[in-house]
Amino acid sequence: MRGLLIGRFQPFHNGHSYVIREVLKENEEIIIGIGSAQISHTLENPFTAGERVMMVSKSLYENGIKKNYYIIPIPDVNNNSLWVPHVRSLTPPFNKVYSGNTLVKRLFGEVGVKVETPPMYNREEYSGTMIRKRILNDEPWVDFVPRAVVDVINEVSGVSRLKDLAKSDRA
Ligand code: NAD
């Protein structure tokens, strides 16, 4: 069995990491789709697809997950009815989709793909929106993401990028 998890991972955090471990309990392999791959350098989507690939692959390595996954960047398409075939055209075949996102669940469900909603894990703290806010406000955030994600954010000067984006959004 092979499961698909799609997320924006802006940034990849401990909640995402937990879901991947859960999916791998019931599947031999997992496909991790990096959604909105074409978007970066915005307040909601600060990191590039390549940076998010690094976050995910290095975090999996840190967790001892070394070979049973595929990480595939997936750009958005301007037509929701065409999104599922678009995703299928880019990914290995999969048996089930794991998502808490209502639109993702609806689009796969409508074409008969099995969809499961993984339970939320500490959603108060493990949320991309909250972590981006904390980074911007100089509040503690490093405990909410894998150590590898802290390293990637530091490598690409992600904190100053977010702060610059906040300035340009206000200008
Ligand atoms: P996300 O990074 O917010 O979340 C990814 C997954 O992790 C979700 O299933 C979410 O439920 C789960 N998750 C988040 N926090 C968690 C926690 N604390 N505990 C457990 N699970 C947690 O990404 P998203 O917004 O769901 O990504 C969907 C992607 O699909 C987007 O990039 C979107 O643009 C894309 N999409 C595109 C189209 C289109 O192009 N037409 C249509 C639908 C969706």
Side-chain angles (χ1 to χ4, degrees):
M1 294 275 281
R2 195 176 298 113
L4 169 68
L5 172 72
I6 296 194
R8 285 183 301 118
F9 307 124
Q10 290 282 13
F12 187 80
H13 56 62
N14 292 344
H16 299 133
S17 183
Y18 164 81
V19 173
I20 289 176
R21 274 172 281 143
E22 289 300 303
V23 172
L24 281 174
K25 283 183 189 163
E26 49 183 74
N27 293 270
E28 285 92 47
E29 295 189 319
I30 183 167
I31 304 160
I32 300 154
I34 309 280
S36 305
Q38 83 286 7
I39 308 180
S40 69
H41 294 80
T42 69
L43 267 181
E44 286 206 335
N45 295 284
F47 303 109
T48 67
E51 290 162 352
R52 289 177 277 156
V53 167
M54 282 203 293
M55 289 178 191
V56 179
S57 58
K58 287 172 184 286
S59 300
L60 293 180
Y61 187 84
E62 181 182 305
N63 268 288
I65 301 169
K66 294 193 177 138
K67 53 181 182 191
N68 50 348
Y69 63 86
Y70 306 87
I71 303 175
I72 317 263
I74 302 177
D76 291 332
V77 290
N78 197 15
N79 182 335
N80 283 333
S81 313
L82 296 180
W83 187 63
V84 171
H86 168 68
V87 171
R88 277 195 166 126
S89 78
L90 296 171
T91 57
F94 48 86
N95 310 88
K96 208 195 239 188
V97 171
Y98 295 81
S99 180
N101 178 305
T102 313
L103 179 61
V104 170
K105 290 196 283 182
R106 166 151 289 278
L107 295 178
F108 280 106
E110 280 184 2
V111 296
V113 176
K114 271 189 249 158
V115 182
E116 187 175 317
T117 305
M120 280 292 163
Y121 178 56
N122 193 358
R123 184 64 174 161
E124 299 303 305
E125 292 177 333
Y126 301 157
S127 135
T129 308
M130 290 310 298
I131 293 166
R132 293 192 304 275
K133 240 183 225 164
R134 283 174 165 274
I135 294 176
L136 272 176
N137 296 333
D138 292 322
E139 288 164 8
W141 58 276
V142 298
D143 289 344
F144 305 153
V145 299
R147 178 68 227 174
V149 171
V150 179
D151 292 344
V152 172
I153 291 181
N154 287 339
E155 181 185 338
V156 304
S157 305
V159 173
S160 67
R161 182 188 299 173
L162 258 167
K163 291 186 176 180
D164 276 352
L165 291 167
K167 279 187 223 151
S168 57
D169 261 28
R170 277 198 290 270

PDB file of all heavy atoms in Angstrom, residues 135-171:
ATOM      1  N   ILE A 135       7.631  33.362  14.428  1.00  0.00           N
ATOM      2  CA  ILE A 135       8.930  33.775  13.866  1.00  0.00           C
ATOM      3  C   ILE A 135       8.931  35.297  13.691  1.00  0.00           C
ATOM      4  O   ILE A 135       9.873  35.990  14.076  1.00  0.00           O
ATOM      5  CB  ILE A 135       9.196  33.067  12.515  1.00  0.00           C
ATOM      6  CG1 ILE A 135       9.361  31.559  12.724  1.00  0.00           C
ATOM      7  CG2 ILE A 135      10.418  33.662  11.814  1.00  0.00           C
ATOM      8  CD1 ILE A 135       9.543  30.733  11.451  1.00  0.00           C
ATOM      9  N   LEU A 136       7.844  35.821  13.144  1.00  0.00           N
ATOM     10  CA  LEU A 136       7.748  37.262  12.884  1.00  0.00           C
ATOM     11  C   LEU A 136       7.807  38.085  14.166  1.00  0.00           C
ATOM     12  O   LEU A 136       8.374  39.172  14.188  1.00  0.00           O
ATOM     13  CB  LEU A 136       6.419  37.575  12.184  1.00  0.00           C
ATOM     14  CG  LEU A 136       6.433  37.482  10.671  1.00  0.00           C
ATOM     15  CD1 LEU A 136       5.037  37.708  10.121  1.00  0.00           C
ATOM     16  CD2 LEU A 136       7.394  38.520  10.101  1.00  0.00           C
ATOM     17  N   ASN A 137       7.215  37.545  15.248  1.00  0.00           N
ATOM     18  CA  ASN A 137       7.117  38.301  16.499  1.00  0.00           C
ATOM     19  C   ASN A 137       8.248  37.985  17.477  1.00  0.00           C
ATOM     20  O   ASN A 137       8.157  38.338  18.650  1.00  0.00           O
ATOM     21  CB  ASN A 137       5.773  38.022  17.187  1.00  0.00           C
ATOM     22  CG  ASN A 137       4.607  38.506  16.339  1.00  0.00           C
ATOM     23  OD1 ASN A 137       4.774  39.442  15.546  1.00  0.00           O
ATOM     24  ND2 ASN A 137       3.457  37.867  16.471  1.00  0.00           N
ATOM     25  N   ASP A 138       9.289  37.290  16.995  1.00  0.00           N
ATOM     26  CA  ASP A 138      10.411  36.892  17.863  1.00  0.00           C
ATOM     27  C   ASP A 138       9.947  36.098  19.077  1.00  0.00           C
ATOM     28  O   ASP A 138      10.509  36.235  20.175  1.00  0.00           O
ATOM     29  CB  ASP A 138      11.211  38.131  18.325  1.00  0.00           C
ATOM     30  CG  ASP A 138      11.948  38.782  17.173  1.00  0.00           C
ATOM     31  OD1 ASP A 138      12.466  38.055  16.305  1.00  0.00           O
ATOM     32  OD2 ASP A 138      11.991  40.035  17.131  1.00  0.00           O
ATOM     33  N   GLU A 139       8.912  35.283  18.903  1.00  0.00           N
ATOM     34  CA  GLU A 139       8.471  34.389  19.980  1.00  0.00           C
ATOM     35  C   GLU A 139       9.092  33.007  19.751  1.00  0.00           C
ATOM     36  O   GLU A 139       9.473  32.676  18.628  1.00  0.00           O
ATOM     37  CB  GLU A 139       6.936  34.283  19.978  1.00  0.00           C
ATOM     38  CG  GLU A 139       6.255  35.553  20.466  1.00  0.00           C
ATOM     39  CD  GLU A 139       4.779  35.608  20.101  1.00  0.00           C
ATOM     40  OE1 GLU A 139       4.228  34.598  19.593  1.00  0.00           O
ATOM     41  OE2 GLU A 139       4.176  36.671  20.318  1.00  0.00           O
ATOM     42  N   PRO A 140       9.172  32.177  20.833  1.00  0.00           N
ATOM     43  CA  PRO A 140       9.800  30.854  20.661  1.00  0.00           C
ATOM     44  C   PRO A 140       9.068  30.009  19.617  1.00  0.00           C
ATOM     45  O   PRO A 140       7.842  29.974  19.611  1.00  0.00           O
ATOM     46  CB  PRO A 140       9.652  30.222  22.049  1.00  0.00           C
ATOM     47  CG  PRO A 140       9.375  31.337  22.989  1.00  0.00           C
ATOM     48  CD  PRO A 140       8.719  32.425  22.197  1.00  0.00           C
ATOM     49  N   TRP A 141       9.807  29.382  18.696  1.00  0.00           N
ATOM     50  CA  TRP A 141       9.177  28.545  17.673  1.00  0.00           C
ATOM     51  C   TRP A 141       9.955  27.270  17.388  1.00  0.00           C
ATOM     52  O   TRP A 141       9.404  26.313  16.860  1.00  0.00           O
ATOM     53  CB  TRP A 141       9.007  29.329  16.354  1.00  0.00           C
ATOM     54  CG  TRP A 141      10.291  29.858  15.779  1.00  0.00           C
ATOM     55  CD1 TRP A 141      10.911  31.029  16.121  1.00  0.00           C
ATOM     56  CD2 TRP A 141      11.142  29.231  14.808  1.00  0.00           C
ATOM     57  NE1 TRP A 141      12.098  31.172  15.408  1.00  0.00           N
ATOM     58  CE2 TRP A 141      12.257  30.080  14.596  1.00  0.00           C
ATOM     59  CE3 TRP A 141      11.079  28.032  14.087  1.00  0.00           C
ATOM     60  CZ2 TRP A 141      13.292  29.774  13.708  1.00  0.00           C
ATOM     61  CZ3 TRP A 141      12.103  27.716  13.193  1.00  0.00           C
ATOM     62  CH2 TRP A 141      13.196  28.587  13.017  1.00  0.00           C
ATOM     63  N   VAL A 142      11.253  27.226  17.776  1.00  0.00           N
ATOM     64  CA  VAL A 142      12.092  26.110  17.318  1.00  0.00           C
ATOM     65  C   VAL A 142      11.639  24.752  17.865  1.00  0.00           C
ATOM     66  O   VAL A 142      11.868  23.715  17.246  1.00  0.00           O
ATOM     67  CB  VAL A 142      13.603  26.324  17.621  1.00  0.00           C
ATOM     68  CG1 VAL A 142      14.152  27.537  16.917  1.00  0.00           C
ATOM     69  CG2 VAL A 142      13.856  26.410  19.101  1.00  0.00           C
ATOM     70  N   ASP A 143      10.932  24.755  19.011  1.00  0.00           N
ATOM     71  CA  ASP A 143      10.481  23.472  19.572  1.00  0.00           C
ATOM     72  C   ASP A 143       9.282  22.898  18.811  1.00  0.00           C
ATOM     73  O   ASP A 143       8.866  21.776  19.075  1.00  0.00           O
ATOM     74  CB  ASP A 143      10.081  23.643  21.045  1.00  0.00           C
ATOM     75  CG  ASP A 143      11.305  23.873  21.915  1.00  0.00           C
ATOM     76  OD1 ASP A 143      12.429  23.608  21.448  1.00  0.00           O
ATOM     77  OD2 ASP A 143      11.131  24.340  23.055  1.00  0.00           O
ATOM     78  N   PHE A 144       8.695  23.671  17.890  1.00  0.00           N
ATOM     79  CA  PHE A 144       7.493  23.211  17.192  1.00  0.00           C
ATOM     80  C   PHE A 144       7.808  22.578  15.831  1.00  0.00           C
ATOM     81  O   PHE A 144       6.910  22.135  15.122  1.00  0.00           O
ATOM     82  CB  PHE A 144       6.513  24.379  16.998  1.00  0.00           C
ATOM     83  CG  PHE A 144       6.145  25.079  18.288  1.00  0.00           C
ATOM     84  CD1 PHE A 144       5.765  26.406  18.296  1.00  0.00           C
ATOM     85  CD2 PHE A 144       6.188  24.399  19.499  1.00  0.00           C
ATOM     86  CE1 PHE A 144       5.425  27.048  19.488  1.00  0.00           C
ATOM     87  CE2 PHE A 144       5.857  25.022  20.693  1.00  0.00           C
ATOM     88  CZ  PHE A 144       5.481  26.357  20.687  1.00  0.00           C
ATOM     89  N   VAL A 145       9.084  22.594  15.470  1.00  0.00           N
ATOM     90  CA  VAL A 145       9.494  22.017  14.181  1.00  0.00           C
ATOM     91  C   VAL A 145      10.665  21.067  14.431  1.00  0.00           C
ATOM     92  O   VAL A 145      11.378  21.207  15.438  1.00  0.00           O
ATOM     93  CB  VAL A 145       9.925  23.122  13.173  1.00  0.00           C
ATOM     94  CG1 VAL A 145       8.788  24.085  12.877  1.00  0.00           C
ATOM     95  CG2 VAL A 145      11.148  23.887  13.669  1.00  0.00           C
ATOM     96  N   PRO A 146      10.892  20.081  13.515  1.00  0.00           N
ATOM     97  CA  PRO A 146      12.067  19.234  13.678  1.00  0.00           C
ATOM     98  C   PRO A 146      13.350  20.083  13.624  1.00  0.00           C
ATOM     99  O   PRO A 146      13.374  21.139  12.985  1.00  0.00           O
ATOM    100  CB  PRO A 146      11.987  18.289  12.466  1.00  0.00           C
ATOM    101  CG  PRO A 146      10.553  18.299  12.058  1.00  0.00           C
ATOM    102  CD  PRO A 146      10.057  19.688  12.361  1.00  0.00           C
ATOM    103  N   ARG A 147      14.407  19.578  14.279  1.00  0.00           N
ATOM    104  CA  ARG A 147      15.683  20.306  14.309  1.00  0.00           C
ATOM    105  C   ARG A 147      16.167  20.630  12.877  1.00  0.00           C
ATOM    106  O   ARG A 147      16.680  21.709  12.594  1.00  0.00           O
ATOM    107  CB  ARG A 147      16.707  19.419  15.042  1.00  0.00           C
ATOM    108  CG  ARG A 147      18.100  19.950  15.140  1.00  0.00           C
ATOM    109  CD  ARG A 147      18.216  21.167  16.033  1.00  0.00           C
ATOM    110  NE  ARG A 147      19.004  22.217  15.356  1.00  0.00           N
ATOM    111  CZ  ARG A 147      19.186  23.448  15.827  1.00  0.00           C
ATOM    112  NH1 ARG A 147      18.634  23.817  16.958  1.00  0.00           N
ATOM    113  NH2 ARG A 147      19.908  24.324  15.163  1.00  0.00           N
ATOM    114  N   ALA A 148      15.926  19.683  11.950  1.00  0.00           N
ATOM    115  CA  ALA A 148      16.374  19.863  10.565  1.00  0.00           C
ATOM    116  C   ALA A 148      15.706  21.088   9.921  1.00  0.00           C
ATOM    117  O   ALA A 148      16.303  21.757   9.078  1.00  0.00           O
ATOM    118  CB  ALA A 148      16.055  18.606   9.758  1.00  0.00           C
ATOM    119  N   VAL A 149      14.474  21.385  10.322  1.00  0.00           N
ATOM    120  CA  VAL A 149      13.765  22.538   9.740  1.00  0.00           C
ATOM    121  C   VAL A 149      14.383  23.842  10.257  1.00  0.00           C
ATOM    122  O   VAL A 149      14.534  24.814   9.500  1.00  0.00           O
ATOM    123  CB  VAL A 149      12.248  22.456  10.049  1.00  0.00           C
ATOM    124  CG1 VAL A 149      11.530  23.745   9.657  1.00  0.00           C
ATOM    125  CG2 VAL A 149      11.637  21.257   9.332  1.00  0.00           C
ATOM    126  N   VAL A 150      14.785  23.845  11.532  1.00  0.00           N
ATOM    127  CA  VAL A 150      15.483  25.021  12.071  1.00  0.00           C
ATOM    128  C   VAL A 150      16.754  25.258  11.241  1.00  0.00           C
ATOM    129  O   VAL A 150      17.042  26.383  10.832  1.00  0.00           O
ATOM    130  CB  VAL A 150      15.850  24.808  13.568  1.00  0.00           C
ATOM    131  CG1 VAL A 150      16.600  26.013  14.111  1.00  0.00           C
ATOM    132  CG2 VAL A 150      14.605  24.523  14.396  1.00  0.00           C
ATOM    133  N   ASP A 151      17.481  24.173  10.966  1.00  0.00           N
ATOM    134  CA  ASP A 151      18.735  24.308  10.200  1.00  0.00           C
ATOM    135  C   ASP A 151      18.460  24.860   8.795  1.00  0.00           C
ATOM    136  O   ASP A 151      19.180  25.727   8.318  1.00  0.00           O
ATOM    137  CB  ASP A 151      19.443  22.949  10.087  1.00  0.00           C
ATOM    138  CG  ASP A 151      19.967  22.473  11.448  1.00  0.00           C
ATOM    139  OD1 ASP A 151      20.061  23.300  12.375  1.00  0.00           O
ATOM    140  OD2 ASP A 151      20.253  21.264  11.571  1.00  0.00           O
ATOM    141  N   VAL A 152      17.405  24.358   8.128  1.00  0.00           N
ATOM    142  CA  VAL A 152      17.110  24.840   6.765  1.00  0.00           C
ATOM    143  C   VAL A 152      16.699  26.317   6.827  1.00  0.00           C
ATOM    144  O   VAL A 152      17.173  27.135   6.030  1.00  0.00           O
ATOM    145  CB  VAL A 152      15.998  23.987   6.099  1.00  0.00           C
ATOM    146  CG1 VAL A 152      15.565  24.612   4.776  1.00  0.00           C
ATOM    147  CG2 VAL A 152      16.465  22.555   5.880  1.00  0.00           C
ATOM    148  N   ILE A 153      15.859  26.667   7.784  1.00  0.00           N
ATOM    149  CA  ILE A 153      15.413  28.071   7.883  1.00  0.00           C
ATOM    150  C   ILE A 153      16.621  28.980   8.146  1.00  0.00           C
ATOM    151  O   ILE A 153      16.746  30.051   7.539  1.00  0.00           O
ATOM    152  CB  ILE A 153      14.308  28.215   8.957  1.00  0.00           C
ATOM    153  CG1 ILE A 153      13.033  27.505   8.464  1.00  0.00           C
ATOM    154  CG2 ILE A 153      14.015  29.701   9.263  1.00  0.00           C
ATOM    155  CD1 ILE A 153      11.840  27.565   9.399  1.00  0.00           C
ATOM    156  N   ASN A 154      17.538  28.512   8.983  1.00  0.00           N
ATOM    157  CA  ASN A 154      18.754  29.315   9.218  1.00  0.00           C
ATOM    158  C   ASN A 154      19.600  29.401   7.955  1.00  0.00           C
ATOM    159  O   ASN A 154      20.089  30.468   7.591  1.00  0.00           O
ATOM    160  CB  ASN A 154      19.582  28.724  10.371  1.00  0.00           C
ATOM    161  CG  ASN A 154      18.914  28.994  11.713  1.00  0.00           C
ATOM    162  OD1 ASN A 154      18.101  29.910  11.843  1.00  0.00           O
ATOM    163  ND2 ASN A 154      19.230  28.191  12.710  1.00  0.00           N
ATOM    164  N   GLU A 155      19.741  28.253   7.245  1.00  0.00           N
ATOM    165  CA  GLU A 155      20.585  28.230   6.043  1.00  0.00           C
ATOM    166  C   GLU A 155      20.100  29.237   5.001  1.00  0.00           C
ATOM    167  O   GLU A 155      20.896  29.875   4.321  1.00  0.00           O
ATOM    168  CB  GLU A 155      20.619  26.810   5.447  1.00  0.00           C
ATOM    169  CG  GLU A 155      21.492  26.714   4.212  1.00  0.00           C
ATOM    170  CD  GLU A 155      21.439  25.337   3.526  1.00  0.00           C
ATOM    171  OE1 GLU A 155      21.083  24.338   4.181  1.00  0.00           O
ATOM    172  OE2 GLU A 155      21.747  25.298   2.321  1.00  0.00           O
ATOM    173  N   VAL A 156      18.790  29.393   4.870  1.00  0.00           N
ATOM    174  CA  VAL A 156      18.257  30.274   3.814  1.00  0.00           C
ATOM    175  C   VAL A 156      17.877  31.649   4.371  1.00  0.00           C
ATOM    176  O   VAL A 156      17.189  32.419   3.710  1.00  0.00           O
ATOM    177  CB  VAL A 156      17.054  29.621   3.081  1.00  0.00           C
ATOM    178  CG1 VAL A 156      17.455  28.261   2.507  1.00  0.00           C
ATOM    179  CG2 VAL A 156      15.819  29.468   3.978  1.00  0.00           C
ATOM    180  N   SER A 157      18.318  31.955   5.596  1.00  0.00           N
ATOM    181  CA  SER A 157      17.985  33.226   6.256  1.00  0.00           C
ATOM    182  C   SER A 157      16.475  33.453   6.247  1.00  0.00           C
ATOM    183  O   SER A 157      15.993  34.535   5.886  1.00  0.00           O
ATOM    184  CB  SER A 157      18.695  34.407   5.571  1.00  0.00           C
ATOM    185  OG  SER A 157      20.068  34.168   5.519  1.00  0.00           O
ATOM    186  N   GLY A 158      15.746  32.421   6.634  1.00  0.00           N
ATOM    187  CA  GLY A 158      14.288  32.454   6.573  1.00  0.00           C
ATOM    188  C   GLY A 158      13.655  33.467   7.516  1.00  0.00           C
ATOM    189  O   GLY A 158      12.615  34.045   7.195  1.00  0.00           O
ATOM    190  N   VAL A 159      14.303  33.699   8.685  1.00  0.00           N
ATOM    191  CA  VAL A 159      13.709  34.637   9.646  1.00  0.00           C
ATOM    192  C   VAL A 159      13.731  36.046   9.052  1.00  0.00           C
ATOM    193  O   VAL A 159      12.716  36.748   9.029  1.00  0.00           O
ATOM    194  CB  VAL A 159      14.439  34.570  11.007  1.00  0.00           C
ATOM    195  CG1 VAL A 159      13.931  35.651  11.947  1.00  0.00           C
ATOM    196  CG2 VAL A 159      14.280  33.177  11.633  1.00  0.00           C
ATOM    197  N   SER A 160      14.885  36.442   8.502  1.00  0.00           N
ATOM    198  CA  SER A 160      14.949  37.803   7.941  1.00  0.00           C
ATOM    199  C   SER A 160      14.095  37.885   6.674  1.00  0.00           C
ATOM    200  O   SER A 160      13.509  38.935   6.380  1.00  0.00           O
ATOM    201  CB  SER A 160      16.391  38.239   7.691  1.00  0.00           C
ATOM    202  OG  SER A 160      16.952  37.469   6.681  1.00  0.00           O
ATOM    203  N   ARG A 161      13.958  36.793   5.940  1.00  0.00           N
ATOM    204  CA  ARG A 161      13.075  36.823   4.758  1.00  0.00           C
ATOM    205  C   ARG A 161      11.634  37.133   5.183  1.00  0.00           C
ATOM    206  O   ARG A 161      10.969  37.999   4.616  1.00  0.00           O
ATOM    207  CB  ARG A 161      13.107  35.482   4.027  1.00  0.00           C
ATOM    208  CG  ARG A 161      12.230  35.504   2.760  1.00  0.00           C
ATOM    209  CD  ARG A 161      12.096  34.139   2.115  1.00  0.00           C
ATOM    210  NE  ARG A 161      13.369  33.602   1.704  1.00  0.00           N
ATOM    211  CZ  ARG A 161      13.542  32.358   1.229  1.00  0.00           C
ATOM    212  NH1 ARG A 161      12.503  31.554   1.086  1.00  0.00           N
ATOM    213  NH2 ARG A 161      14.730  31.922   0.887  1.00  0.00           N
ATOM    214  N   LEU A 162      11.167  36.418   6.224  1.00  0.00           N
ATOM    215  CA  LEU A 162       9.789  36.640   6.677  1.00  0.00           C
ATOM    216  C   LEU A 162       9.596  38.087   7.153  1.00  0.00           C
ATOM    217  O   LEU A 162       8.587  38.722   6.850  1.00  0.00           O
ATOM    218  CB  LEU A 162       9.453  35.673   7.813  1.00  0.00           C
ATOM    219  CG  LEU A 162       8.601  34.479   7.425  1.00  0.00           C
ATOM    220  CD1 LEU A 162       8.600  33.435   8.517  1.00  0.00           C
ATOM    221  CD2 LEU A 162       7.168  34.890   7.112  1.00  0.00           C
ATOM    222  N   LYS A 163      10.603  38.587   7.870  1.00  0.00           N
ATOM    223  CA  LYS A 163      10.482  39.956   8.388  1.00  0.00           C
ATOM    224  C   LYS A 163      10.471  40.974   7.241  1.00  0.00           C
ATOM    225  O   LYS A 163       9.716  41.938   7.269  1.00  0.00           O
ATOM    226  CB  LYS A 163      11.599  40.240   9.392  1.00  0.00           C
ATOM    227  CG  LYS A 163      11.389  39.426  10.664  1.00  0.00           C
ATOM    228  CD  LYS A 163      12.372  39.756  11.756  1.00  0.00           C
ATOM    229  CE  LYS A 163      11.977  38.939  12.994  1.00  0.00           C
ATOM    230  NZ  LYS A 163      12.837  39.154  14.135  1.00  0.00           N
ATOM    231  N   ASP A 164      11.275  40.751   6.219  1.00  0.00           N
ATOM    232  CA  ASP A 164      11.269  41.640   5.047  1.00  0.00           C
ATOM    233  C   ASP A 164       9.926  41.577   4.329  1.00  0.00           C
ATOM    234  O   ASP A 164       9.399  42.594   3.881  1.00  0.00           O
ATOM    235  CB  ASP A 164      12.357  41.236   4.051  1.00  0.00           C
ATOM    236  CG  ASP A 164      13.700  41.822   4.424  1.00  0.00           C
ATOM    237  OD1 ASP A 164      13.749  42.648   5.360  1.00  0.00           O
ATOM    238  OD2 ASP A 164      14.706  41.439   3.787  1.00  0.00           O
ATOM    239  N   LEU A 165       9.375  40.353   4.225  1.00  0.00           N
ATOM    240  CA  LEU A 165       8.081  40.200   3.538  1.00  0.00           C
ATOM    241  C   LEU A 165       7.000  40.958   4.298  1.00  0.00           C
ATOM    242  O   LEU A 165       6.117  41.572   3.697  1.00  0.00           O
ATOM    243  CB  LEU A 165       7.713  38.719   3.419  1.00  0.00           C
ATOM    244  CG  LEU A 165       8.583  37.911   2.456  1.00  0.00           C
ATOM    245  CD1 LEU A 165       8.348  36.413   2.633  1.00  0.00           C
ATOM    246  CD2 LEU A 165       8.295  38.323   1.014  1.00  0.00           C
ATOM    247  N   ALA A 166       7.091  40.926   5.632  1.00  0.00           N
ATOM    248  CA  ALA A 166       6.091  41.636   6.444  1.00  0.00           C
ATOM    249  C   ALA A 166       6.212  43.140   6.202  1.00  0.00           C
ATOM    250  O   ALA A 166       5.207  43.838   6.095  1.00  0.00           O
ATOM    251  CB  ALA A 166       6.282  41.317   7.916  1.00  0.00           C
ATOM    252  N   LYS A 167       7.447  43.626   6.059  1.00  0.00           N
ATOM    253  CA  LYS A 167       7.661  45.061   5.796  1.00  0.00           C
ATOM    254  C   LYS A 167       7.088  45.416   4.436  1.00  0.00           C
ATOM    255  O   LYS A 167       6.378  46.402   4.290  1.00  0.00           O
ATOM    256  CB  LYS A 167       9.165  45.387   5.776  1.00  0.00           C
ATOM    257  CG  LYS A 167       9.786  45.562   7.130  1.00  0.00           C
ATOM    258  CD  LYS A 167      11.229  46.062   6.955  1.00  0.00           C
ATOM    259  CE  LYS A 167      12.150  45.321   7.909  1.00  0.00           C
ATOM    260  NZ  LYS A 167      13.516  45.167   7.450  1.00  0.00           N
ATOM    261  N   SER A 168       7.401  44.586   3.420  1.00  0.00           N
ATOM    262  CA  SER A 168       6.954  44.962   2.075  1.00  0.00           C
ATOM    263  C   SER A 168       5.427  44.854   1.966  1.00  0.00           C
ATOM    264  O   SER A 168       4.799  45.578   1.212  1.00  0.00           O
ATOM    265  CB  SER A 168       7.643  44.135   1.005  1.00  0.00           C
ATOM    266  OG  SER A 168       7.436  42.780   1.219  1.00  0.00           O
ATOM    267  N   ASP A 169       4.808  43.956   2.769  1.00  0.00           N
ATOM    268  CA  ASP A 169       3.353  43.846   2.746  1.00  0.00           C
ATOM    269  C   ASP A 169       2.707  45.102   3.351  1.00  0.00           C
ATOM    270  O   ASP A 169       1.600  45.462   2.996  1.00  0.00           O
ATOM    271  CB  ASP A 169       2.896  42.627   3.533  1.00  0.00           C
ATOM    272  CG  ASP A 169       2.606  41.452   2.606  1.00  0.00           C
ATOM    273  OD1 ASP A 169       3.235  41.415   1.545  1.00  0.00           O
ATOM    274  OD2 ASP A 169       1.750  40.629   2.959  1.00  0.00           O
ATOM    275  N   ARG A 170       3.431  45.720   4.307  1.00  0.00           N
ATOM    276  CA  ARG A 170       2.875  46.917   4.947  1.00  0.00           C
ATOM    277  C   ARG A 170       3.089  48.151   4.089  1.00  0.00           C
ATOM    278  O   ARG A 170       2.378  49.122   4.194  1.00  0.00           O
ATOM    279  CB  ARG A 170       3.528  47.126   6.325  1.00  0.00           C
ATOM    280  CG  ARG A 170       2.879  46.284   7.428  1.00  0.00           C
ATOM    281  CD  ARG A 170       3.241  46.822   8.806  1.00  0.00           C
ATOM    282  NE  ARG A 170       4.627  46.590   9.124  1.00  0.00           N
ATOM    283  CZ  ARG A 170       5.073  45.501   9.741  1.00  0.00           C
ATOM    284  NH1 ARG A 170       4.245  44.544  10.083  1.00  0.00           N
ATOM    285  NH2 ARG A 170       6.347  45.341  10.000  1.00  0.00           N
ATOM    286  N   ALA A 171       4.137  48.110   3.212  1.00  0.00           N
ATOM    287  CA  ALA A 171       4.495  49.312   2.443  1.00  0.00           C
ATOM    288  C   ALA A 171       3.392  49.657   1.449  1.00  0.00           C
ATOM    289  O   ALA A 171       2.640  48.821   1.028  1.00  0.00           O
ATOM    290  CB  ALA A 171       5.804  49.068   1.724  1.00  0.00           C
TER     291      ALA A 171
END
